[in-house]
């Protein structure tokens, strides 16, 4: 790291925070992510992807802690700083899942529907979103039949050889 390299320090802290979250240290992860903001500058476009990742990480950790209000807040902040379509889909999916966990089924299904229209290729990501969408639709209305979506998702996962995805579908 170069002296006075705030981006380098910020990147390191974001990566450390993500590792902490991956190992279940949600509180430590949030602390490290909050520290990273001291080094990431919203006025510098080169910092945007790290600011987005950092906000998303706090959202994930907050979600793990069932602090859904903060999870929502940080996912929405993450979306502001990303121009990467794949990263945006991931963050939106995280947000839709948080809505689901909060039993905000309408918000969740609306967001999943929007995500599904954004996905160009019917791949494993599409299948995962489709499965989640079907699950939320059924939770919202127990008369809804999610089997067609689950079947479509399963077939996509099977074609891709994604055993975890097949199990989930």
């Amino acid at each position: 790291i170069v002296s006075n390299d705030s981006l380098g320090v910020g990147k390191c802290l974001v990566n450390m925070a993500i590792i902490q979250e991956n190992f279940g240290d949600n509180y430590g992860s949030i602390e490290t992510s909050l520290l990273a903001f001291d080094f990431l500058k919203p006025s510098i476009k080169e910092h945007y992807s790290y600011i987005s990742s950092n906000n998303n990480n706090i959202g994930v950790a907050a979600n793990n802690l069932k602090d859904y209000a903060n999870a929502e807040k940080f996912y929405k902040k993450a979306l502001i700083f990303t121009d990467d379509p794949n990263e945006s889909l991931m963050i939106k999916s995280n947000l839709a899942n948080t809505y689901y966990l909060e039993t905000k089924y309408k918000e969740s299904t609306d967001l999943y529907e929007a995500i599904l229209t954004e996905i160009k290729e019917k791949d494993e990501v599409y299948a995962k979103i489709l499965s989640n969408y079907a699950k939320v639709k059924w939770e919202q209305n127990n008369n809804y039949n999610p089997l067609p979506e689950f079947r479509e998702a399963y077939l996509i996962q099977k074609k891709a050889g994604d055993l975890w995805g097949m199990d989930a579908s």
Side-chain angles (χ1 to χ4, degrees):
I1 297 175
V2 178
S3 181
N4 297 323
D5 179 13
S6 71
L7 179 58
V9 174
K11 282 187 208 181
C12 288
L13 289 167
V14 171
N15 288 330
M16 286 171 50
I18 291 169
I19 291 167
Q20 286 175 290
E21 186 280 321
N22 286 337
F23 279 91
D25 181 10
N26 294 297
Y27 289 111
S29 176
I30 291 170
E31 247 182 77
T32 304
S33 278
L34 292 174
L35 182 59
F37 284 130
D38 291 340
F39 299 93
L40 299 171
K41 311 294 183 217
S43 59
I44 303 173
K45 187 152 178 68
E46 186 184 0
H47 292 212
Y48 281 16
S49 66
Y50 299 100
I51 294 170
S52 179
S53 293
N54 201 40
N55 278 298
N56 183 65
N57 183 67
I58 295 174
V60 170
N63 195 57
N64 292 340
L65 294 167
K66 298 180 178 19
D67 181 1
Y68 302 126
N70 274 317
E72 280 184 41
K73 180 175 90 173
F74 283 97
Y75 290 141
K76 289 174 182 176
K77 283 184 179 183
L79 285 169
I80 293 168
F81 289 96
T82 187
D83 57 3
D84 179 285
N86 292 327
E87 185 176 6
S88 177
L89 288 174
M90 176 195 63
I91 296 165
K92 288 176 185 177
S93 178
N94 290 344
L95 179 57
N97 183 58
T98 297
Y99 288 148
Y100 165 73
L101 293 170
E102 291 180 283
T103 67
K104 294 181 177 178
Y105 299 135
K106 171 103 172 81
E107 291 92 334
S108 184
T109 56
D110 288 350
L111 188 49
Y112 278 131
E113 284 174 6
I115 294 167
L116 288 168
T117 62
E118 288 179 43
I119 299 175
K120 306 295 180 225
E121 198 176 319
K122 290 193 176 183
D123 59 7
E124 298 98 318
V125 172
Y126 176 86
K128 180 181 177 185
I129 301 298
L130 185 62
S131 288
N132 289 341
Y133 169 74
K135 176 178 69 174
V136 177
K137 284 288 282 188
W138 181 80
E139 287 282 356
Q140 188 177 14
N141 173 7
N142 292 131
N143 293 320
Y144 177 78
N145 179 9
L147 292 179
E149 284 93 353
F150 284 142
R151 188 174 297 111
E152 181 183 353
Y154 174 83
L155 292 173
I156 292 167
Q157 302 291 13
K158 184 176 181 181
K159 183 178 178 186
D162 181 357
L163 298 178
W164 286 104
M166 288 167 56
D167 185 47
S169 295

